[in-house]
Amino acid sequence: MERTYIMIKPDGVQRGLIGEIIKRFEAKGFKLVAMKLTAPGKEHLEKHYEDLKDKKFFPGLIAYMTSGPVCAMVWEGKGAVKEGRKMLGATMPSESAMGTIRGDFCIEVGRNICHGSDAVESANAEIALWFPEGVCDWESASQPWVYE
Ligand code: RTP
């Protein structure tokens, strides 16, 4: 089953949105297989956002991402990467549809609450970076009620 890396950024944590975001992923039918509240520091975040290192906003992004703890999670389910991105909404909150997490809860791109992997390959790399200890393989009783 496909897995995606979803992270609630420092603003989402400080604003008390962890429960709301978890609620949406659970209600959708995805399965939480790893989660931790962590503040890993600059080097780790620079690695996570390595592909953006030449962007003008990179230093600000790293400062934002290291300003407090993040909630790192792995969610599992059919099409988890693409569906997860849909649930987060567009990167720019002004373009995120209402009903999405960013559309409902934020205003600025530099405080856009959450991160979601953009492809299966990046999801696998991000899961390995954030959860080198591995994830929990557990059986969910609701699976036959989610998948036909
Ligand atoms: P993320 O990785 O956080 O899920 O975001 P994303 O794929 O939707 O967007 P990406 O282009 O990878 O940008 C990563 C994060 O950098 C911040 N950003 N700031 N000031 C700006 O113009 C700007 N553009 C991007 C956002 O926090 C964005 O989520």
Side-chain angles (χ1 to χ4, degrees):
M1 199 61 100
E2 192 169 296
R3 287 172 178 164
T4 190
Y5 175 66
I6 300 289
M7 170 166 57
I8 304 172
K9 297 178 177 180
D11 50 336
V13 173
Q14 297 291 341
R15 290 179 55 196
L17 293 170
I18 294 175
E20 173 67 36
I21 293 168
I22 289 178
K23 187 181 84 178
R24 290 181 179 218
F25 276 82
E26 276 191 331
K28 174 79 178 166
F30 290 134
K31 191 166 94 172
L32 183 63
V33 294
M35 178 168 83
K36 65 184 164 196
L37 198 65
T38 177
K42 201 167 171 263
E43 224 171 86
H44 187 90
L45 266 311
E46 283 174 349
K47 206 162 182 194
H48 173 82
Y49 279 123
E50 203 166 18
D51 56 323
L52 299 176
K53 65 177 185 301
D54 298 328
K55 300 277 185 193
K56 240 174 83 181
F57 60 77
F58 187 73
L61 173 61
I62 299 301
Y64 159 47
M65 291 301 299
T66 53
S67 63
V70 299
C71 181
M73 299 178 284
V74 180
W75 288 89
E76 186 180 283
K78 192 171 175 182
V81 170
K82 201 167 161 208
E83 293 302 315
R85 294 278 290 189
K86 242 195 264 174
M87 289 168 66
L88 300 193
T91 305
M92 296 285 171
S94 57
E95 291 163 14
S96 332
M98 299 311 288
T100 65
I101 293 163
R102 287 166 175 162
D104 288 350
F105 299 116
C106 61
I107 295 170
E108 285 207 303
V109 68
R111 296 288 184 274
N112 65 352
I113 293 181
C114 46
H115 160 84
S117 308
D118 60 4
V120 173
E121 304 73 56
S122 42
N124 292 338
E126 289 169 5
I127 292 167
L129 175 67
W130 289 87
F131 293 94
E133 68 275 29
V135 304
C136 294
D137 237 333
W138 59 284
E139 233 171 275
S140 163
S142 69
Q143 294 297 90
W145 301 103
V146 175
Y147 300 106
E148 54 182 17

